Structure formats: structure tokens, C-alpha cells
Amino acid sequence: MTDVKKTLSFAKGEHHVANEMRIPEGFARRVRNFSIDDGGLLIARRRFEKVAIGGHSPFPLPDQRSALFFDGGWLLRFTDTGAVLPVFGESGPFFLPGTGRVWYVLVNDRVYFSNGQGNGMVRSGGLAAVWGKDREAWFVGAPDDTELLPVALEAFPPALYLAHFGGRIYGAVDNLVLMTAPLDYSSYDPRYDYVTLPSEVTAIGSVADGLYLGTTQGVYFYKPDKDASVTKISDTPAIAGSQVYVPYLALGIESIGGAPMADAFCWLTREGLYAGLPGGQLRALTGGVVKLPSGIAPRTSLVQSDGFYQIVSVLDAPVVALDVGVRDTVTVSL
């Protein structure tokens, strides 16, 4: 009798839903401290070293050699040499009022950021400043009109989940999605520049032809055209803090009709990872496989290592379950 040994492969990752004794072939129940490539090869994860005690909300800069982050409200920059440097404003090191995670969006050569309580931006030269300007009165009409119509613009307020689309920056305040004036990223018109949703906003992300708006009651697709249509496309809530942009090829998608290719917008639900494609098309990437606990507050990032991409979520568990969670920190791979 020939002894045939079967080679185990866990190329499909973890399966949280199936019975412990009936996990489908290609899955594992739990994988710890290993990455798995498409062929099922287990690769030991690299060791990470904390480089900034108390640091949070990292944002890699386009030069791929440095990153912004915050520590106690102070804006800092980490470089590839290991140096941690303060980022200065006009009157000294820049401080952002408020607490909590900071959200960023890169537009042209500027980085805009907000934590929902304070706003800021970093110009191309590296100098930081408050984002937004005081109320201004603009007027619309022809030079020979006897009466000009005033347009009152206000400073764009602090907001969460920042995204850029069609010459505007979008951000969330409770159940509202606010947007800046067209090509004027410091101002907005409080009479018109907003979208109202039925529950608290938990995610905002742009794709080629619109924006995904996640809430505690589901996900909507918004096309800011002349009709400004808002369409509910999923009843599954998006978990706050879990959004991330991922290249289409990393998801195994080479083309989507005739739509221009860009990054997909992804977010976590209790059933795992969803991908938002152009046109409001959804892909449940881990449907029926993953079941996440309630009450988690994830920080999701796209990590490129060992020749492939990984979508990594750090789960900040509730206070009652601190033994199963970790917190967002600034780390560097050795």
C-alpha cells in the first residue's frame, strides 16, 4: 500500500463561521504571527518596533520616506532615518485641538487633516497651518447689475473620514456629509454643501464615479451630479474607523467595464471586508467566512511586504475586553 501524504494549504485564510470539526479545505480557524500568500505558503511576520510612545494616526507622505503622526495633539514627522521631528506652524510647533483619531486627505501638494474637533493642513514646503478661513461674503452677478446677490461662505468645520472627489473635500459630522466649495478647499456654503443621511456616518470614500457613505444602518452610494442621487446599496453597517483604499489588482480585479481604474474603497462589517467599486458595485470579500465581534474600533491600513499587499486591521477592543485588543501606535518594520 502506498502511503500518500496530503499537503495542507491555508491559502484561503481564516474561517470563523464553520464548525470547528468541519472547516472547509483551504481554510484555517486561526493563524497567529504568519502571513499567507495565494499559494498557501506561510511566511513569518516581521518584527515591529515602536518608535513613538503614545503616537497615533500615522499618515505616509508621497515621498515614501516620511510620515506624519500625532502625539498629545502635537504634529510630528517620522523619517526613514529614524528621526522624529516637530512640524512647525507660523508661531511654533503645530498643535491640533481636541482628541481622538486624525483623518487625512491629500489634494495636489497639500495634506488636509481633522479629528472632528480641530482642522489643519500641511503645505508643500512642510509648514502647517489651520485649515479653513473666516466667514467671507462673496457676490454673484454681472458688473453692471444693480443688485448683487451675496453668497455667505464659512470655514469648513472639523469633520471625520475625509475624502476628495470632483474638486471638493468631503467630511462627516454626525449624520451629515459636508463638502467644501468647488476648488475652494477652505470654505463651504452651509445652505447647500451637505448631504443628510438617516443615521450617523461611519465611513466616506471615493471611487471613479462617486462616493461611498457608510452609516450605522447601511451603506449608500452618492453621485454628486446634477441630480445628487443617494442610493442605499447595503443594509450591513460599515464599522467606524475601518476604511482603507486598496489597488484593484490586489483584489484580483483587472478591469471594471469601461470605468477608469483607480483604488477600490474597502471597509469592515461584522461579516468581514467589503470592497466598493465604481457604480455602487459591492464585493463581499469574506462573506460567510468571517464573523467579527461587536463593539470593536479598528484601525485599518494597507501594508505592502514580502511582495504582496495585506489589509491589516488593528482592533481596539472595548474597555471590558482589553485583553483581546491592541491600540493604534506608530511602528516601523525592521
Side-chain angles (χ1 to χ4, degrees):
M1 178 180 292
T2 303
D3 183 19
V4 178
K5 294 184 178 181
K6 185 177 181 180
T7 302
L8 292 178
S9 172
F10 304 112
K12 297 181 180 179
E14 296 184 358
H15 201 305
H16 299 174
V17 180
N19 183 287
E20 290 276 1
M21 304 303 294
R22 297 184 180 89
I23 296 178
E25 185 175 343
F27 288 97
R29 174 63 90 194
R30 293 287 186 271
V31 178
R32 294 290 181 265
N33 298 321
F34 284 92
S35 299
I36 308 174
D37 69 7
D38 293 340
L41 179 65
L42 292 173
I43 303 171
R45 290 178 179 169
R46 297 181 181 182
R47 182 166 60 93
F48 288 86
E49 176 184 342
K50 185 182 293 186
V51 298
I53 303 300
H56 65 93
S57 305
F59 179 76
L61 294 171
D63 62 10
Q64 300 297 312
R65 301 182 61 183
S66 58
L68 300 174
F69 69 98
F70 281 84
D71 188 358
W74 298 103
L75 178 58
L76 303 173
R77 182 168 61 91
F78 172 75
T79 71
D80 58 356
T81 63
V84 176
L85 307 171
V87 177
F88 285 87
E90 295 180 354
S91 59
F94 186 85
F95 182 84
L96 184 70
T99 59
R101 181 175 178 180
V102 180
W103 297 89
Y104 305 83
V105 63
L106 176 66
V107 181
N108 299 325
D109 58 354
R110 291 188 178 184
V111 178
Y112 297 84
F113 54 86
S114 178
N115 60 4
Q117 298 170 285
N119 277 354
M121 64 179 177
V122 177
R123 299 186 177 97
S124 58
L127 190 68
V130 174
W131 169 24
K133 56 190 175 186
D134 296 333
R135 179 195 301 262
E136 292 187 2
W138 288 16
F139 296 90
V140 177
D144 57 350
D145 285 349
T146 58
E147 182 179 358
L148 298 179
L149 299 176
V151 178
L153 297 181
E154 296 186 3
F156 191 70
L160 304 177
Y161 319 120
L162 303 179
H164 177 245
F165 181 83
R168 297 178 187 256
I169 293 176
Y170 293 77
V173 177
D174 297 325
N175 69 320
L176 299 178
V177 174
L178 308 181
M179 63 193 79
T180 64
L183 300 179
D184 176 9
Y185 299 114
S186 292
S187 304
Y188 89 117
D189 189 332
R191 300 171 301 172
Y192 308 110
D193 292 339
Y194 66 91
V195 176
T196 302
L197 295 168
S199 61
E200 182 181 353
V201 178
T202 56
I204 302 177
S206 62
V207 291
D209 59 352
L211 294 109
Y212 283 92
L213 310 178
T215 73
T216 56
Q217 295 182 4
V219 177
Y220 298 78
F221 189 67
Y222 173 57
K223 298 193 70 172
D225 50 20
K226 64 179 181 179
D227 297 325
S229 61
V230 180
T231 305
K232 191 172 188 180
I233 55 176
S234 173
D235 290 323
T236 305
I239 297 177
S242 66
Q243 63 185 58
V244 64
Y245 290 94
V246 180
Y248 285 117
L249 289 178
L251 300 176
I253 302 172
E254 296 183 1
S255 63
I256 305 173
M261 297 301 291
D263 289 344
F265 179 65
C266 298
W267 63 91
L268 285 177
T269 71
R270 291 287 306 280
E271 285 73 39
L273 191 68
Y274 273 64
L277 313 180
Q281 302 178 62
L282 292 185
R283 297 279 181 90
L285 301 178
T286 55
V289 174
V290 173
K291 196 71 173 179
L292 298 177
S294 61
I296 60 173
R299 307 291 201 272
T300 304
S301 300
L302 183 69
V303 178
Q304 185 177 14
S305 64
D306 300 312
F308 58 93
Y309 288 103
Q310 295 173 294
I311 301 171
V312 178
S313 289
V314 176
L315 304 182
D316 188 358
V319 175
V320 295
L322 290 178
D323 58 323
V324 299
V326 294
R327 297 190 178 276
D328 181 27
T329 57
V330 178
T331 56
V332 59
S333 178
L334 297 178

